[in-house]
Amino acid sequence: MKKHICLLSFSVAVLCLLSIPTFAQERDYTTLKGLSWSVGLPIEMRDLPGAGLSLNIGYDCAYPVNDHFAMGFYLTGGGGFWGEFKQYSTTDHFHVAFRLTAGLQMAFGDLQNRPWLIGVAPCTGFGLYDLDMSLPVEVRFGKYITDRWYMMGELTYHASLARETATIEPAIRVGYNFGRKIKH
């Protein structure tokens, strides 16, 4: 588990360092090209009731359609762990959680003045909870808190393909919009 957390931290640091040269250029922030992180609380309710912690990293993208609406996509991946509330086994009571999600990202309102954000992923992804494959159904809603930083709340339900697990995962997501380089 420590190796996965170290690898995730290292990848976030590398992505941030790669983006440093973009700060010196003139940017258009009505276009969302952002990197976001979330901390979630996966809660298993059916097979082995329990809760845990997950960390996710994502790429958010939305291009302006007009002055008040932008549309694009997002990709999110990450993982974590969860433990059972009541131990059914003395050797196996912590479980691994993993997910990869793709969805539709929209921004609406005045795109130049902190617009609102909505994201939807209707079973477009892949998840593993206690080695049970699931399709994530995800909804995000948030707003820019500055001209570049944004915050979203998200709720994910993992629809189990084997009908064994029922997992819900509320999360808080924070992102940074790098914008689009203006061509002269």
Side-chain angles (χ1 to χ4, degrees):
M1 188 65 184
K2 289 181 182 179
K3 290 180 185 178
H4 296 294
I5 292 172
C6 289
L7 181 62
L8 180 63
S9 300
F10 179 73
S11 62
V12 168
V14 168
L15 287 172
C16 290
L17 287 175
L18 290 175
S19 65
I20 288 174
T22 63
F23 293 123
Q25 301 163 348
E26 192 175 346
R27 313 294 287 175
D28 169 29
Y29 294 105
T30 59
T31 299
L32 171 61
K33 287 187 177 180
L35 190 61
S36 61
W37 301 268
S38 74
V39 176
L41 179 68
I43 302 167
E44 165 61 37
M45 300 173 291
R46 187 181 296 158
D47 186 31
L48 300 170
L53 182 70
S54 69
L55 301 172
N56 300 289
I57 186 169
Y59 174 72
D60 304 322
C61 179
Y63 293 97
V65 175
N66 57 35
D67 291 340
H68 299 286
F69 184 71
M71 186 174 226
F73 67 94
Y74 69 86
L75 299 169
T76 299
F81 69 94
W82 58 274
E84 301 168 9
F85 290 140
K86 180 181 176 185
Q87 293 182 356
Y88 293 98
S89 169
T90 59
T91 59
D92 186 24
H93 54 41
F94 284 104
H95 306 280
V96 176
F98 169 78
R99 76 175 169 138
L100 181 62
T101 308
L104 184 63
Q105 180 76 42
M106 294 169 277
F108 63 94
D110 184 5
L111 296 181
Q112 305 231 358
N113 188 21
R114 298 180 6 205
W116 291 91
L117 299 167
I118 291 180
V120 178
C123 295
T124 51
F126 169 78
L128 287 175
Y129 282 81
D130 188 28
L131 298 179
D132 185 17
M133 192 168 116
S134 65
L135 296 176
V137 178
E138 185 173 88
V139 176
R140 298 176 169 187
F141 187 76
K143 185 167 177 56
Y144 277 83
I145 49 179
T146 68
D147 62 337
R148 296 183 188 153
W149 287 96
Y150 55 94
M151 184 180 282
M152 290 188 276
E154 72 183 34
L155 183 63
T156 307
Y157 173 75
H158 294 274
S160 171
L161 296 179
R163 300 189 200 289
E164 289 181 4
T165 61
T167 307
I168 190 166
E169 183 177 345
I172 297 292
R173 178 168 295 277
V174 175
Y176 183 82
N177 182 9
F178 293 99
R180 179 180 56 88
K181 181 180 169 186
I182 297 175
K183 297 179 183 178
H184 295 285

